[in-house]
Amino acid sequence: MSFLLIATVILVFIVVFQIAKASEYVSVLKGEEKTREQSNRINGFLMISFLVLGLIGVYWCNELFYHKTLLAQTSASKEGENIDLMLKITFAITGVVFLLTQILLFYFAWKYQEKEGRKAEYFPHSNTLEIIWTVVPAVFLLVLVVFGLKFWFHITGPAPKDAIEVEITGKQFNWIYRYPGADGIFGKTYYKNINDEKSNPLGQLWDDPNNQDDIVETSELHIPVGHPVKLIIHSRDVIHDVGLSAFRLKMDAVPGIPTTMWFTPQFTTQQMRERTGDPDYVYEISCDQMCGPGHFGMRGIIVVDTEADYAKWLKSQKSNYATLFPDKQPNAAGADSTKPVAAVVPATAGAKQ
Ligand SMILES: [Cu+2]
């Protein structure tokens, strides 16, 4: 079998070699000039064909895949609309440049093919041209960068006063969400207090009274529609990244350095299901930073509720403190109370959605 294979390869090689040799004799007979002219014409024609087929291909790919891209759906956050706008402007500018340069490249290759009596002009340098093709792209890039910085400072800057604050902590390999509770203040945490066995994944310090009403959640992040949400982003181990593609946002989760970003969801999860025509649609958090062997599994889920549903969900949540110390009464002053548990926990406690 291998002998046959080797023999075939050798035979094919000999045939190709003989054909090449024969065509060489033919070109000698016809005159080298003429052969070159002919091959130039063929190359010129192929260049134009490549241009036309290539442009059809670009258009076809777009028709085929556009509905699978992010831009097919409008941004799910108000702030993300700025990102979409910038992306569209970038596409428009680079699209025009792409079309112009590609069309000229292949058209010139055809138009200026070697012909009798045509001589190439020697044109090594032009200051005017250098200035034009340096300054024009620089101006366009500057405008894009300035807009980018403006939007960036907007979402990483101070959030509106009525923003809901949620803490999100990445760890190998999932996300932990924390709500500050009724007092609106996150209790202190200390990394040496982190203990997954004792249900303290964030290392909450129990002697800080602000911790007593903090809700810690690992299954889903609930946020209300039409309301600014500020994420305070932490990491427990290595660098992760909160990627919110539907909202057009992402931000690194860096151990020891909290990062923030805020946004306003425009559509509830239910509305998004109708918009996409996908009954199973959910907002996803993807970890956008390769963070270890379980990186692929760091898919978080965000549920965007109506204001009423969100309030209902929040009310049904029990603070981590109340779960861990059911015999202690959460108290704004931090003092332990001997009041019965029933008074501490709302009737709906524990009924997670
Ligand atoms: Cu990660």
Side-chain angles (χ1 to χ4, degrees):
M1 186 67 191
S2 54
F3 168 76
L4 211 70
L5 212 74
I6 293 165
T8 314
V9 169
I10 292 172
L11 264 175
V12 168
F13 178 76
I14 291 171
V15 169
V16 170
F17 185 74
Q18 289 299 331
I19 290 174
K21 231 170 142 187
S23 62
E24 210 175 290
Y25 291 137
V26 171
S27 73
V28 169
L29 287 175
K30 261 168 81 178
E32 218 163 288
E33 254 338 82
K34 246 199 154 101
T35 321
R36 207 172 62 213
E37 245 171 56
Q38 196 183 4
S39 92
N40 267 337
R41 268 202 304 278
I42 292 170
N43 277 334
F45 172 75
L46 286 178
M47 289 287 182
I48 290 290
S49 317
F50 189 83
L51 170 68
V52 174
L53 287 177
L55 289 180
I56 292 172
V58 168
Y59 177 78
W60 185 59
C61 277
N62 190 55
E63 285 291 297
L64 213 59
F65 295 117
Y66 183 76
H67 70 282
K68 289 184 179 172
T69 65
L70 265 185
L71 282 177
Q73 283 291 328
T74 42
S75 163
S77 75
K78 268 184 204 139
E79 293 68 25
E81 282 176 354
N82 291 335
I83 309 291
D84 279 356
L85 178 69
M86 283 198 330
L87 192 60
K88 279 173 187 157
I89 291 171
T90 308
F91 275 160
I93 294 171
T94 52
V96 167
V97 173
F98 171 79
L99 282 177
L100 259 174
T101 50
Q102 297 307 303
I103 288 171
L104 287 181
L105 177 68
F106 291 103
Y107 171 70
F108 283 174
W110 170 77
K111 182 152 199 284
Y112 297 110
Q113 57 186 276
E114 187 197 13
K115 275 214 175 98
E116 237 190 281
R118 180 181 281 160
K119 209 170 158 238
E121 193 187 342
Y122 182 62
F123 184 66
H125 186 80
S126 159
N127 275 335
T128 323
L129 275 179
E130 293 278 351
I131 288 169
I132 290 173
W133 67 48
T134 307
V135 168
V136 172
V139 168
F140 275 116
L141 285 176
L142 191 74
V143 170
L144 290 177
V145 166
V146 165
F147 272 107
L149 278 177
K150 189 173 170 269
F151 297 149
W152 174 255
F153 289 145
H154 184 59
I155 56 158
T156 55
K161 287 218 166 60
D162 61 336
I164 288 167
E165 290 194 342
V166 188
E167 193 191 81
I168 170 167
T169 303
K171 75 173 237 289
Q172 289 171 319
F173 294 97
N174 64 291
W175 301 102
I176 305 157
Y177 317 111
R178 180 161 72 134
Y179 296 78
D183 61 359
I185 301 167
F186 291 101
K188 288 195 183 82
T189 57
Y190 183 47
Y191 75 98
K192 282 191 172 170
N193 257 30
I194 291 172
N195 193 326
D196 286 328
E197 281 78 49
K198 286 187 179 168
S199 298
N200 192 359
L202 297 173
Q204 285 172 282
L205 292 169
W206 299 123
D207 47 12
D208 179 5
N210 292 327
N211 262 320
Q212 295 181 356
D213 62 353
D214 286 8
I215 296 157
V216 175
E217 179 62 53
T218 49
S219 60
E220 289 168 340
L221 174 66
H222 281 255
I223 49 177
V225 74
H227 203 103
V229 177
K230 180 181 173 184
L231 296 182
I232 301 158
I233 301 160
H234 295 265
S235 169
R236 248 178 58 169
D237 33 47
V238 297
I239 297 178
H240 299 274
D241 188 295
V242 180
L244 309 175
S245 56
F247 301 103
R248 313 291 196 257
L249 299 165
K250 76 194 279 290
M251 178 61 78
D252 271 1
V254 188
I257 306 170
T259 51
T260 65
M261 67 178 170
W262 68 271
F263 62 101
T264 317
Q266 304 205 77
F267 315 111
T268 61
T269 299
Q270 193 52 45
Q271 283 171 325
M272 211 55 185
R273 286 180 181 166
E274 284 151 25
R275 291 176 74 88
T276 55
D278 176 4
D280 300 320
Y281 182 88
V282 284
Y283 287 115
E284 282 181 9
I285 304 173
S286 55
C287 184
D288 285 357
Q289 177 68 47
M290 178 64 199
C291 59
H295 166 68
F296 67 92
M298 283 191 71
R299 175 182 184 253
I301 288 173
I302 297 181
V303 181
V304 179
D305 292 314
T306 59
E307 290 262 8
D309 282 349
Y310 174 73
K312 216 168 89 187
W313 173 84
L314 201 62
K315 225 180 146 193
S316 74
Q317 296 300 302
K318 204 168 149 182
S319 78
N320 203 16
Y321 182 83
T323 313
L324 288 174
F325 311 105
D327 52 333
K328 287 181 188 170
Q329 158 102 13
N331 186 315
D336 289 347
S337 166
T338 48
K339 276 179 191 163
V341 184
V344 177
V345 181
T348 48
K352 285 183 186 174
Q353 279 180 342

